[in-house]
Amino acid sequence: MRTVLHKAENRGFANHGWLQANHSFSFANYFDKDKVQFGALRVLNDDVIAPKMGFGTHPHDNMEIITIPLSGVLKHRDNMHQNWQQVLPGEVQVMSAGTGVQHSEINGSPTEHLGLFQIWIIPNKQSVEPRYGQKTFPEAARKNKLQTLVTSIDENHEESLKIHQDAIISRIDLDEGKTFEYQLKSKNHGVYLMTIFGKVTVENQNLEARDAMGISETKLFSITANQDSGLLFIEVPMK
């Protein structure tokens, strides 16, 4: 088993006033040669956006972009949809940028901060037709069991959102004292695990809220919740 530990306090941080951004990997003005990517996972940003603020219209291409709101109200608009789309906690949004998209993301609340994860995954197909997806994933469906959020567009998994990469994004909420065994898809995959909240032990390593660990070169590993905990798994090809 190969592991890399990323403690929450060692992430890149940018304070833009309206945006408090934590970067697990090199992004914008933050660069760490040891944190450029994890396999096909290029970006994991943990953002807090002030009321009524956000990102103006900007372009992307050839990237799979996944947004997971954690609190507040996200409003999204792109050149595939002229109307604003509301994305709430409990929902997940995916966007295949492909040949190119223009989009805006703003905090849709006049009073409440917006918290979200934004994930970028390098696609396995270039210049595809851009596409958008959004789906609700009930909290109860991940209590002490794995809830699959995102899979490859080539996989026959009807309950998940789709991206152009042989990747799996999933969540689990573990009760204190529970142990869960995560099994990787193949020997060529690795999984980047982030503790959303709580405290867990992963293969004798203690992780607290927003600590992360990249795990590869293994078939499976176990996680024990030391208190009620929520976990995000991003499993990607390593080569």
Side-chain angles (χ1 to χ4, degrees):
M1 179 185 295
R2 183 181 180 89
T3 64
V4 57
L5 177 64
H6 290 168
K7 298 293 287 182
E9 62 268 23
N10 295 330
R11 294 179 294 175
F13 177 71
N15 182 352
H16 300 284
W18 63 273
L19 168 67
Q20 310 292 312
N22 291 279
H23 307 306
S24 293
F25 301 97
S26 297
F27 187 86
N29 294 326
Y30 168 64
F31 178 76
D32 182 331
K33 64 180 178 60
D34 296 321
K35 294 181 179 179
V36 174
Q37 64 193 79
F38 177 81
L41 173 59
R42 177 61 190 85
V43 167
L44 173 53
N45 287 345
D46 181 4
D47 292 343
V48 177
I49 300 165
K52 299 188 289 187
M53 302 301 288
F55 302 92
T57 303
H58 59 283
H60 290 286
D61 62 66
N62 290 314
M63 192 63 71
E64 302 297 310
I65 300 169
I66 301 96
T67 305
I68 304 176
L70 301 172
S71 61
V73 179
L74 169 65
K75 290 182 73 174
H76 164 97
R77 185 168 68 183
D78 60 50
N79 57 349
M80 295 178 281
H81 307 87
Q82 293 307 312
N83 295 325
W84 287 98
Q85 312 282 321
Q86 185 170 274
V87 192
L88 300 174
E91 296 183 292
V92 178
Q93 175 202 79
V94 299
M95 188 170 62
S96 295
T99 54
V101 296
Q102 300 268 344
H103 78 123
S104 309
E105 308 280 347
I106 65 170
N107 184 341
S109 170
T111 58
E112 186 180 0
H113 279 73
L114 166 65
L116 58 82
F117 289 141
Q118 184 163 108
I119 300 161
W120 293 8
I121 293 177
I122 299 165
N124 58 11
K125 302 180 183 73
Q126 295 290 300
S127 300
V128 299
E129 181 180 353
R131 60 191 299 276
Y132 178 92
Q134 182 178 332
K135 185 177 172 64
T136 300
F137 294 91
E139 182 178 350
R142 60 176 176 267
K143 186 174 177 62
N144 297 313
K145 60 184 177 181
L146 199 64
Q147 180 185 56
T148 303
L149 310 177
V150 177
T151 60
S152 168
I153 198 167
D154 299 320
E155 292 276 352
N156 184 23
H157 189 285
E158 296 180 357
E159 301 302 316
S160 58
L161 292 164
K162 298 298 182 181
I163 60 172
H164 294 279
Q165 182 52 273
D166 187 18
I168 306 167
I169 300 177
S170 52
R171 288 180 68 173
I172 193 170
D173 291 344
L174 289 175
D175 291 338
E176 182 177 355
K178 289 284 188 179
T179 294
F180 174 74
E181 195 170 78
Y182 187 99
Q183 185 164 345
L184 281 79
K185 183 174 184 179
S186 81
K187 65 180 181 181
N188 299 318
H189 281 69
V191 62
Y192 194 79
L193 157 69
M194 174 168 277
T195 307
I196 303 173
F197 63 88
K199 296 181 180 181
V200 298
T201 300
V202 183
E203 297 296 326
N204 298 317
Q205 176 67 56
N206 292 326
L207 302 180
E208 300 187 3
R210 297 310 206 263
D211 289 347
M213 179 181 283
I215 300 170
S216 57
E217 298 178 16
T218 188
K219 291 182 179 179
L220 51 84
F221 59 91
S222 64
I223 304 156
T224 300
N226 302 318
Q227 56 183 230
D228 292 352
S229 300
L231 300 160
L232 173 69
F233 302 94
I234 307 171
E235 183 172 347
V236 290
M238 296 304 292
K239 295 182 181 178

